[in-house]
Amino acid sequence: MTTIVGVKKDGQIVIAGDGQVSLGNTVIKGSARKVRRLSPGGRDVIAGFAGSTADAFTLFERLESKLEAVPGQLTRAAVELAKDWRTDKYLRNLEAMLVVTDGRDLLVITGAGDVLEPEGGVAAVGSGGNFALAAARALIDTDATAEEIARKAMKIASEICVFTNDMLVLESIPAAEE
């Protein structure tokens, strides 16, 4: 698995992910890129995934097509993706979870049909997700920036979860005014 954390604070949204790829109890690669910037219709969306790499890339492609169909409407595109993911015979077997943002919304999308907007501006998925989530929530009310919180939360998760390392990929986007 892996760990992905998203933090929304003070005009910035950051999604960070570790680089570890495991096969059973063996580390296959330590520097995979699980956080990506998608640009459907010229609008930036950041997405991070936990789970199967091939499945996640299929979901990234599907999310991009949904966003092209409804530009600037991440939540609507995410709901459409989640509906397809849950009901389509092929997609239903995909094993991954996504954390996505367009600068306005920070969402978790699951194969169970969930599109969740987490409370408190913090989202996390993956094997170390709960560790990163707890650490980020503890830090959210401090003077630390969104990036500093994401980095510290991932560091803590990497020290606890054997399926998470400290080789981070981090992408940020300015938070849209609400």
Side-chain angles (χ1 to χ4, degrees):
M1 272 302 265
T2 195
T3 302
I4 302 293
V5 68
V7 179
K8 180 178 185 177
K9 184 177 180 187
D10 296 336
Q12 197 71 14
I13 302 179
V14 173
I15 296 180
D18 75 310
Q20 184 165 308
V21 176
S22 304
L23 184 58
N25 292 328
T26 304
V27 176
I28 302 298
K29 184 176 183 177
S31 60
R33 186 170 178 83
K34 300 174 194 171
V35 177
R36 301 200 179 259
R37 190 172 292 270
L38 312 174
S39 296
R43 182 172 172 97
D44 278 349
V45 171
I46 299 171
F49 73 89
S52 165
T53 305
D55 292 355
F57 282 111
T58 299
L59 294 168
F60 282 168
E61 290 172 7
R62 293 284 180 127
L63 179 59
E64 278 187 309
S65 358
K66 298 293 182 189
L67 285 163
E68 287 169 358
V70 290
Q73 298 180 54
L74 177 62
T75 301
R76 184 171 171 197
V79 168
E80 291 300 316
L81 173 64
K83 284 195 300 190
D84 288 354
W85 194 352
R86 177 155 179 146
T87 59
D88 184 272
K89 190 175 182 179
Y90 166 72
L91 293 178
R92 168 176 343 143
N93 295 315
L94 299 182
E95 295 182 14
M97 294 178 77
L98 304 176
V99 175
V100 300
T101 186
D102 61 355
R104 185 177 3 197
D105 300 309
L106 177 63
L107 305 172
V108 174
I109 309 170
T110 75
D114 300 315
V115 176
L116 308 167
E117 186 169 8
E119 293 180 352
V122 178
V125 297
S127 58
N130 287 335
F131 305 121
L133 180 65
R137 281 189 177 173
L139 295 166
I140 199 75
D141 291 329
T142 67
D143 290 336
T145 67
E147 181 174 338
E148 290 167 339
I149 292 169
R151 287 184 183 282
K152 287 178 184 178
M154 289 298 296
K155 176 90 170 108
I156 289 167
S158 75
E159 292 170 352
I160 299 170
C161 178
V162 297
F163 297 106
T164 302
N165 70 15
D166 61 0
M167 302 278 294
L168 295 186
V169 171
L170 190 134
E171 291 279 351
S172 67
I173 191 169
E177 293 187 28
E178 297 178 18

